[in-house]
């Protein structure tokens, strides 16, 4: 069952909005950005990462801001559903 869940999550991530992939990449490589993303996603996205900004619609930002207090794996899984 876990293998099936992993495969489905992986397929969802491949279809993900490119900006969401960039956000997750930044979270994986930088702990400060990751901590901010998990605790205050709105602020993390607004601040950007390493001089780069994230281009998300208002709707995407609102949906992203509802994903607080999760592990990065949980965050990524739920992000793939947006």
């Amino acid at each position: 069952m876990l293998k099936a869940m992993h495969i489905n999550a992986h397929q969802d991530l491949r279809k993900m909005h490119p900006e969401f992939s960039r956000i997750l990449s930044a979270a994986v490589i930088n702990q400060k950005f990751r901590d901010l993303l998990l605790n205050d996603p709105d602020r993390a996205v607004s601040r950007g990462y390493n001089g780069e900004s994230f281009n998300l619609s208002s709707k995407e930002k609102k949906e992203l801001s509802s994903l607080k207090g999760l592990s990065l794996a949980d965050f990524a899984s739920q992000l793939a559903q947006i």
Side-chain angles (χ1 to χ4, degrees), residues 2-17 21 24 73 76-78 80-81:
L2 288 177
K3 187 174 184 177
M5 287 173 50
H6 176 72
I7 290 169
N8 290 338
H10 180 69
Q11 289 170 346
D12 289 341
L13 290 173
R14 287 188 311 193
K15 298 177 197 173
M16 187 184 298
H17 187 303
S21 295
L24 289 176
S77 179
Q78 291 189 26
Q81 303 305 313

Side-chain angles (χ1 to χ4, degrees), residues 7-65:
I7 290 169
N8 290 338
H10 180 69
Q11 289 170 346
D12 289 341
L13 290 173
R14 287 188 311 193
K15 298 177 197 173
M16 187 184 298
H17 187 303
E19 291 301 296
F20 291 163
S21 295
R22 292 180 61 231
I23 290 167
L24 289 176
S25 295
V28 166
I29 61 175
N30 186 280
Q31 183 176 353
K32 286 183 182 181
F33 181 80
R34 178 175 54 248
D35 292 343
L36 183 58
L37 181 66
L38 295 176
N39 291 298
D40 191 352
D42 210 26
R43 186 170 172 211
V45 169
S46 295
R47 291 175 84 183
Y49 174 71
N50 201 26
E52 297 282 329
S53 60
F54 301 109
N55 300 306
L56 299 173
S57 69
S58 296
K59 180 184 177 207
E60 291 165 334
K61 287 179 185 177
K62 184 178 179 180
E63 291 173 331
L64 185 77
S65 69

